[in-house]
Protein backbone atom coordinates (compact mmCIF):
# COMPACT_ATOMS: atom_id res chain seq x y z
CA UNK A 1 0.00 0.00 0.00
CA UNK A 2 1.46 3.36 -1.08
CA UNK A 3 1.13 6.05 1.59
CA UNK A 4 2.08 9.72 1.27
CA UNK A 5 2.80 11.00 4.77
CA UNK A 6 2.64 14.75 5.48
CA UNK A 7 4.58 15.58 8.65
CA UNK A 8 3.44 18.50 10.79
CA UNK A 9 5.68 20.88 12.72
CA UNK A 10 5.64 18.68 15.82
CA UNK A 11 7.53 16.04 13.82
CA UNK A 12 10.49 18.39 13.40
CA UNK A 13 10.63 20.66 16.41
CA UNK A 14 9.46 20.27 20.00
CA UNK A 15 7.41 23.12 21.40
CA UNK A 16 9.56 25.41 23.53
CA UNK A 17 12.80 23.68 22.56
CA UNK A 18 15.89 25.54 21.43
CA UNK A 19 15.78 26.09 17.63
CA UNK A 20 19.15 24.46 17.03
CA UNK A 21 20.09 21.83 14.49
CA UNK A 22 20.93 19.45 17.34
CA UNK A 23 17.50 19.88 18.94
CA UNK A 24 15.76 19.39 15.60
CA UNK A 25 17.69 16.20 14.91
CA UNK A 26 16.68 14.76 18.29
CA UNK A 27 12.99 15.32 17.50
CA UNK A 28 13.43 13.91 14.00
CA UNK A 29 14.99 10.77 15.49
CA UNK A 30 11.80 10.22 17.48
CA UNK A 31 9.73 10.86 14.34
CA UNK A 32 11.82 8.30 12.45
CA UNK A 33 10.67 5.59 14.88
CA UNK A 34 7.04 6.09 13.82
CA UNK A 35 7.97 6.20 10.13
CA UNK A 36 10.03 3.03 10.50
CA UNK A 37 7.08 1.30 12.15
CA UNK A 38 5.09 1.81 8.95
CA UNK A 39 7.95 0.70 6.71
CA UNK A 40 8.49 -2.40 8.84
CA UNK A 41 4.83 -3.34 8.37
CA UNK A 42 5.29 -3.25 4.60
CA UNK A 43 3.81 0.14 3.74
CA UNK A 44 5.45 2.03 0.85
CA UNK A 45 6.06 5.40 2.50
CA UNK A 46 6.69 8.74 0.76
CA UNK A 47 7.42 11.67 3.09
CA UNK A 48 6.45 15.35 2.82
CA UNK A 49 7.37 17.81 5.58
CA UNK A 50 6.74 21.41 6.56
CA UNK A 51 9.44 24.08 6.92
CA UNK A 52 7.75 27.10 8.52
CA UNK A 53 10.09 27.92 11.40
CA UNK A 54 13.19 26.70 9.57
CA UNK A 55 12.78 28.78 6.42
CA UNK A 56 11.85 31.79 8.55
CA UNK A 57 15.12 31.50 10.45
CA UNK A 58 17.07 31.18 7.20
CA UNK A 59 15.43 34.40 5.95
CA UNK A 60 16.34 36.18 9.20
CA UNK A 61 19.94 35.00 8.95
CA UNK A 62 20.10 36.21 5.36
CA UNK A 63 18.57 39.61 6.09
CA UNK A 64 20.74 40.38 9.11
CA UNK A 65 23.94 39.36 7.33
CA UNK A 66 23.09 41.13 4.06
CA UNK A 67 25.71 43.83 4.72
CA UNK A 68 28.38 41.14 4.85
CA UNK A 69 27.17 38.79 2.10
CA UNK A 70 24.23 39.13 -0.32
CA UNK A 71 20.93 37.72 0.97
CA UNK A 72 19.54 34.75 -0.90
CA UNK A 73 16.03 35.18 -2.39
CA UNK A 74 13.11 33.47 -0.68
CA UNK A 75 12.79 30.61 -3.17
CA UNK A 76 16.46 29.74 -2.59
CA UNK A 77 15.89 29.76 1.18
CA UNK A 78 13.04 27.32 0.59
CA UNK A 79 15.38 25.00 -1.30
CA UNK A 80 17.96 25.31 1.47
CA UNK A 81 15.37 24.29 4.06
CA UNK A 82 14.43 21.24 1.97
CA UNK A 83 18.04 20.12 1.99
CA UNK A 84 18.54 20.78 5.69
CA UNK A 85 15.37 19.03 6.89
CA UNK A 86 15.63 16.25 4.31
CA UNK A 87 19.16 15.52 5.49
CA UNK A 88 18.00 15.10 9.08
CA UNK A 89 15.03 12.89 8.16
CA UNK A 90 16.97 10.65 5.79
CA UNK A 91 19.80 10.21 8.27
CA UNK A 92 17.52 9.48 11.23
CA UNK A 93 15.25 7.14 9.27
CA UNK A 94 18.18 5.25 7.72
CA UNK A 95 19.71 4.74 11.17
CA UNK A 96 16.40 3.55 12.64
CA UNK A 97 15.82 1.10 9.79
CA UNK A 98 19.39 -0.19 10.10
CA UNK A 99 18.79 -0.91 13.81
CA UNK A 100 15.86 -3.09 12.74
CA UNK A 101 17.84 -4.93 10.09
CA UNK A 102 15.97 -3.25 7.25
CA UNK A 103 18.23 -2.36 4.33
CA UNK A 104 16.22 0.32 2.53
CA UNK A 105 17.74 3.48 1.05
CA UNK A 106 16.30 6.88 1.90
CA UNK A 107 16.69 9.86 -0.44
CA UNK A 108 15.65 13.52 -0.43
CA UNK A 109 14.64 15.28 -3.64
CA UNK A 110 14.83 19.06 -3.91
CA UNK A 111 11.38 19.57 -5.37
CA UNK A 112 9.98 22.36 -7.52
CA UNK A 113 6.21 22.81 -7.70
CA UNK A 114 4.59 24.77 -10.51
CA UNK A 115 2.06 27.41 -9.49
CA UNK A 116 -0.06 29.71 -11.63
CA UNK A 117 1.31 33.26 -11.76
CA UNK A 118 -2.33 34.44 -11.88
CA UNK A 119 -3.31 32.51 -8.74
CA UNK A 120 -5.52 34.58 -6.45
CA UNK A 121 -2.96 34.14 -3.68
CA UNK A 122 -0.57 36.52 -5.47
CA UNK A 123 -3.16 39.31 -5.43
CA UNK A 124 -3.33 39.35 -1.64
CA UNK A 125 -0.24 37.88 0.04
CA UNK A 126 -0.96 36.61 3.56
CA UNK A 127 1.93 34.37 4.70
CA UNK A 128 4.31 36.25 7.06
CA UNK A 129 8.00 35.42 6.76
CA UNK A 130 11.26 36.70 8.16
CA UNK A 131 12.05 39.29 10.85
CA UNK A 132 10.10 42.25 12.21
CA UNK A 133 10.90 45.76 10.96
CA UNK A 134 10.00 49.25 12.12
CA UNK A 135 7.84 51.42 9.88
CA UNK A 136 10.78 53.27 8.29
CA UNK A 137 12.55 50.00 7.43
CA UNK A 138 9.32 48.54 6.05
CA UNK A 139 8.77 51.53 3.75
CA UNK A 140 12.35 51.24 2.49
CA UNK A 141 11.88 47.53 1.68
CA UNK A 142 8.63 48.28 -0.15
CA UNK A 143 10.36 50.95 -2.23
CA UNK A 144 13.67 49.18 -2.88
CA UNK A 145 12.62 45.53 -3.13
CA UNK A 146 8.91 45.67 -3.84
CA UNK A 147 8.05 43.59 -0.74
CA UNK A 148 4.50 43.41 0.52
CA UNK A 149 4.62 44.42 4.20
CA UNK A 150 1.93 44.31 6.90
CA UNK A 151 1.77 45.47 10.50
CA UNK A 152 1.75 42.45 12.81
CA UNK A 153 -0.23 42.85 16.06
CA UNK A 154 1.72 45.88 17.26
CA UNK A 155 5.03 44.02 17.08
CA UNK A 156 6.25 45.77 13.95
CA UNK A 157 6.04 45.14 10.22
CA UNK A 158 6.70 41.82 8.47
CA UNK A 159 7.00 40.75 4.90
CA UNK A 160 4.12 38.67 3.57
CA UNK A 161 4.14 36.39 0.52
CA UNK A 162 1.50 34.57 -1.50
CA UNK A 163 0.20 31.07 -0.78
CA UNK A 164 -0.81 29.72 -4.23
CA UNK A 165 -2.23 26.28 -5.00
CA UNK A 166 0.15 23.60 -6.37
CA UNK A 167 -0.48 22.67 -10.00
CA UNK A 168 2.31 20.29 -10.99
CA UNK A 169 5.35 18.65 -9.39
CA UNK A 170 8.32 19.15 -11.68
CA UNK A 171 10.43 16.22 -10.43
CA UNK A 172 7.56 13.70 -10.37
CA UNK A 173 9.22 11.27 -12.82
CA UNK A 174 12.43 11.27 -10.77
CA UNK A 175 10.39 10.60 -7.64
CA UNK A 176 8.54 7.71 -9.33
CA UNK A 177 11.81 6.17 -10.49
CA UNK A 178 13.32 6.32 -7.00
CA UNK A 179 10.21 4.72 -5.49
CA UNK A 180 10.17 1.97 -8.11
CA UNK A 181 13.81 1.21 -7.26
CA UNK A 182 12.89 0.68 -3.61
CA UNK A 183 13.86 4.06 -2.15
CA UNK A 184 11.95 5.85 0.58
CA UNK A 185 11.62 9.35 -0.84
CA UNK A 186 11.44 12.65 1.04
CA UNK A 187 10.01 15.24 -1.33
CA UNK A 188 8.01 18.49 -1.70
CA UNK A 189 9.48 19.73 1.58
CA UNK A 190 7.79 22.88 2.82
CA UNK A 191 5.24 22.44 0.04
CA UNK A 192 8.00 22.50 -2.58
CA UNK A 193 9.87 25.45 -4.08
CA UNK A 194 7.18 27.46 -5.93
CA UNK A 195 8.04 28.13 -9.57
CA UNK A 196 6.15 29.54 -12.53
CA UNK A 197 6.51 28.20 -16.04
CA UNK A 198 7.28 30.84 -18.65
CA UNK A 199 6.28 30.82 -22.33
CA UNK A 200 9.53 29.10 -23.34
CA UNK A 201 8.78 26.43 -20.67
CA UNK A 202 11.69 27.57 -18.50
CA UNK A 203 11.04 27.79 -14.78
CA UNK A 204 11.44 30.76 -12.46
CA UNK A 205 11.29 30.69 -8.67
CA UNK A 206 8.81 33.01 -6.97
CA UNK A 207 8.47 34.34 -3.42
CA UNK A 208 5.58 32.26 -2.14
CA UNK A 209 4.69 29.47 0.30
CA UNK A 210 2.72 26.45 -0.87
CA UNK A 211 0.82 24.79 1.96
CA UNK A 212 2.54 21.47 2.60
CA UNK A 213 -0.78 19.62 3.04
CA UNK A 214 -1.98 20.73 -0.41
CA UNK A 215 1.42 19.80 -1.87
CA UNK A 216 1.20 16.37 -0.21
CA UNK A 217 -2.27 15.90 -1.70
CA UNK A 218 -1.02 16.84 -5.17
CA UNK A 219 1.93 14.46 -4.78
CA UNK A 220 -0.35 11.64 -3.61
CA UNK A 221 -2.60 12.23 -6.61
CA UNK A 222 0.26 12.25 -9.13
CA UNK A 223 1.77 9.11 -7.58
CA UNK A 224 -1.66 7.43 -7.50
CA UNK A 225 -1.15 6.69 -3.79
CA UNK A 226 -3.61 4.57 -1.86
CA UNK A 227 -3.54 6.77 1.22
CA UNK A 228 -2.88 10.42 2.03
CA UNK A 229 -1.96 10.56 5.71
CA UNK A 230 -1.66 14.01 7.30
CA UNK A 231 0.04 13.80 10.68
CA UNK A 232 -0.38 16.51 13.28
CA UNK A 233 -0.37 17.04 17.07
CA UNK A 234 -3.92 15.77 17.74
CA UNK A 235 -5.32 12.25 17.48
CA UNK A 236 -8.48 13.21 15.60
CA UNK A 237 -10.21 16.08 13.84
CA UNK A 238 -12.71 17.78 16.14
CA UNK A 239 -15.75 19.98 15.70
CA UNK A 240 -16.55 22.71 18.24
CA UNK A 241 -12.85 22.55 19.07
CA UNK A 242 -11.97 23.89 22.53
CA UNK A 243 -15.60 24.19 23.59
CA UNK A 244 -17.49 22.14 26.21
CA UNK A 245 -19.29 20.25 23.45
CA UNK A 246 -16.13 19.42 21.47
CA UNK A 247 -16.61 16.22 19.49
CA UNK A 248 -13.69 14.17 18.13
CA UNK A 249 -14.42 12.45 14.83
CA UNK A 250 -13.30 8.90 14.05
CA UNK A 251 -14.68 9.26 10.53
CA UNK A 252 -16.06 12.01 8.35
CA UNK A 253 -18.01 11.77 5.10
CA UNK A 254 -17.18 14.14 2.28
CA UNK A 255 -20.59 15.79 2.71
CA UNK A 256 -19.92 16.30 6.42
CA UNK A 257 -16.47 17.74 5.72
CA UNK A 258 -17.94 20.28 3.30
CA UNK A 259 -20.63 21.23 5.80
CA UNK A 260 -18.12 21.69 8.62
CA UNK A 261 -15.93 23.83 6.36
CA UNK A 262 -18.93 26.01 5.49
CA UNK A 263 -19.72 26.36 9.21
CA UNK A 264 -16.19 27.58 9.90
CA UNK A 265 -15.37 24.65 12.18
CA UNK A 266 -11.70 24.50 11.21
CA UNK A 267 -9.05 27.17 11.84
CA UNK A 268 -7.63 28.61 8.57
CA UNK A 269 -3.98 28.36 9.59
CA UNK A 270 -4.29 24.97 11.23
CA UNK A 271 -6.88 22.24 10.55
CA UNK A 272 -8.66 23.83 7.56
CA UNK A 273 -5.94 23.16 4.93
CA UNK A 274 -5.56 19.61 6.25
CA UNK A 275 -9.26 18.87 5.87
CA UNK A 276 -9.41 20.55 2.44
CA UNK A 277 -6.37 18.59 1.18
CA UNK A 278 -7.76 15.31 2.54
CA UNK A 279 -11.16 15.99 1.01
CA UNK A 280 -9.70 16.84 -2.42
CA UNK A 281 -7.59 13.66 -2.52
CA UNK A 282 -10.50 11.52 -1.33
CA UNK A 283 -12.74 12.89 -4.08
CA UNK A 284 -10.18 12.53 -6.86
CA UNK A 285 -10.55 8.77 -7.39
CA UNK A 286 -12.68 5.94 -6.02
CA UNK A 287 -10.84 3.67 -3.59
CA UNK A 288 -8.46 6.26 -2.19
CA UNK A 289 -8.33 7.02 1.52
CA UNK A 290 -7.46 10.17 3.47
CA UNK A 291 -6.51 10.08 7.16
CA UNK A 292 -5.70 12.86 9.63
CA UNK A 293 -4.02 11.54 12.77
CA UNK A 294 -1.33 12.19 15.37
CA UNK A 295 2.28 11.31 14.68
CA UNK A 296 2.61 8.92 17.61
CA UNK A 297 -0.44 6.92 16.47
CA UNK A 298 0.34 6.87 12.75
CA UNK A 299 0.55 3.11 12.41
CA UNK A 300 -2.61 2.65 14.48
CA UNK A 301 -4.39 5.11 12.20
CA UNK A 302 -3.36 3.14 9.11
CA UNK A 303 -4.80 0.06 10.81
CA UNK A 304 -8.09 1.82 11.53
CA UNK A 305 -7.50 2.11 15.29
CA UNK A 306 -6.98 5.87 15.57
CA UNK A 307 -7.25 9.13 13.63
CA UNK A 308 -10.02 10.54 11.46
CA UNK A 309 -10.67 8.71 8.21
CA UNK A 310 -12.57 10.27 5.34
CA UNK A 311 -15.31 8.02 3.93
CA UNK A 312 -17.98 8.05 1.25
Amino acid sequence: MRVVVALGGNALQAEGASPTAEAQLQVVKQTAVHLADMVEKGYEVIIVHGNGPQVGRLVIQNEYCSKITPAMPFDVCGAMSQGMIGYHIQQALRDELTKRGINKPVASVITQVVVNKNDQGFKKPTKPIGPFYNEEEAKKLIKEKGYAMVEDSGRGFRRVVASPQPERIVEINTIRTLIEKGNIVITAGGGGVPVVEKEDRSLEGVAAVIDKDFAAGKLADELDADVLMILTAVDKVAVNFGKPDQRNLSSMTMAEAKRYIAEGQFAPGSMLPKVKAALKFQESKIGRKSIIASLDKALEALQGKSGTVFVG
Side-chain angles (χ1 to χ4, degrees):
M1 184 178 288
R2 179 172 290 180
V3 183
V4 170
V5 177
L7 298 175
N10 64 316
L12 304 175
Q13 183 173 310
E15 187 174 352
S18 174
T20 63
E22 293 80 9
Q24 176 177 285
L25 182 56
Q26 288 306 308
V27 175
V28 171
K29 285 180 178 179
Q30 297 168 27
T31 297
V33 172
H34 301 295
L35 295 171
D37 286 343
M38 290 185 273
V39 175
E40 191 169 27
K41 290 295 184 181
Y43 293 99
E44 186 179 69
V45 176
I46 300 99
I47 301 163
V48 177
H49 60 80
N51 72 343
Q54 292 83 3
V55 75
R57 288 195 291 271
L58 287 172
V59 170
I60 291 172
Q61 290 168 0
N62 271 267
E63 293 291 344
Y64 278 110
C65 293
S66 60
K67 293 181 180 179
I68 301 171
T69 184
M72 294 293 104
F74 185 69
D75 59 312
V76 176
C77 290
M80 291 165 68
S81 74
Q82 283 191 25
M84 173 179 67
I85 298 168
Y87 158 60
H88 275 172
I89 295 174
Q90 70 184 37
Q91 184 185 85
L93 183 52
R94 175 207 171 272
D95 288 351
E96 181 62 31
L97 292 172
T98 300
K99 287 179 187 176
R100 303 183 188 203
I102 300 171
N103 183 22
K104 203 164 179 63
V106 187
S108 300
V109 176
I110 304 300
T111 313
Q112 302 171 95
V113 177
V114 174
V115 298
N116 190 327
K117 65 180 179 181
N118 297 316
D119 189 289
Q120 289 296 314
F122 286 108
K123 296 180 181 179
K124 190 177 180 181
T126 57
K127 289 280 189 179
I129 60 165
F132 289 93
Y133 300 93
N134 61 37
E135 186 172 2
E136 183 181 346
E137 291 170 329
K139 287 180 178 178
K140 185 177 180 181
L141 288 169
I142 293 170
K143 182 179 179 180
E144 294 182 357
K145 298 190 175 183
Y147 287 177
M149 307 289 291
V150 296
E151 198 278 329
D152 192 329
S153 306
R155 295 178 293 176
F157 289 80
R158 292 185 79 187
R159 181 186 179 189
V160 288
V161 298
S163 184
Q165 289 294 307
E167 293 199 339
R168 179 168 58 84
I169 295 169
V170 176
E171 288 77 20
I172 193 65
N173 289 331
T174 300
I175 295 163
R176 284 196 190 102
T177 299
L178 285 168
I179 294 168
E180 288 166 4
K181 296 292 185 181
N183 292 269
I184 299 171
V185 180
I186 304 158
T187 182
V193 179
V195 296
V196 294
E197 191 169 46
K198 298 193 287 188
E199 289 184 6
D200 63 359
R201 300 194 66 190
S202 63
L203 302 174
E204 181 177 40
V206 291
V209 174
I210 301 170
D211 188 284
K212 72 103 174 40
D213 296 315
F214 289 130
K218 171 59 69 175
L219 177 71
D221 181 46
E222 294 198 17
L223 290 176
D224 196 21
D226 300 290
V227 179
L228 170 64
M229 170 170 275
I230 299 175
L231 298 179
T232 183
V234 296
D235 290 341
K236 297 180 180 181
V237 179
V239 292
N240 302 322
F241 182 74
K243 299 177 181 178
D245 59 344
Q246 175 176 319
R247 183 160 54 94
N248 296 333
L249 305 173
S250 295
S251 64
M252 187 175 0
T253 67
M254 289 183 279
E256 287 172 334
K258 291 175 182 177
R259 186 175 83 245
Y260 293 144
I261 290 170
E263 291 174 358
Q265 287 281 1
F266 309 123
S270 178
M271 190 57 73
L272 182 60
K274 293 173 174 55
V275 172
K276 283 186 171 181
L279 179 61
K280 186 173 183 179
F281 178 71
Q282 185 82 10
E283 287 185 313
S284 62
K285 186 177 178 181
I286 294 173
R288 290 177 170 177
K289 183 185 292 185
S290 295
I291 302 171
I292 299 176
S294 63
L295 171 65
D296 59 352
K297 294 185 179 178
L299 181 58
E300 291 178 45
L302 279 174
Q303 297 169 337
K305 300 174 184 177
S306 187
T308 301
V309 62
F310 288 68
V311 298

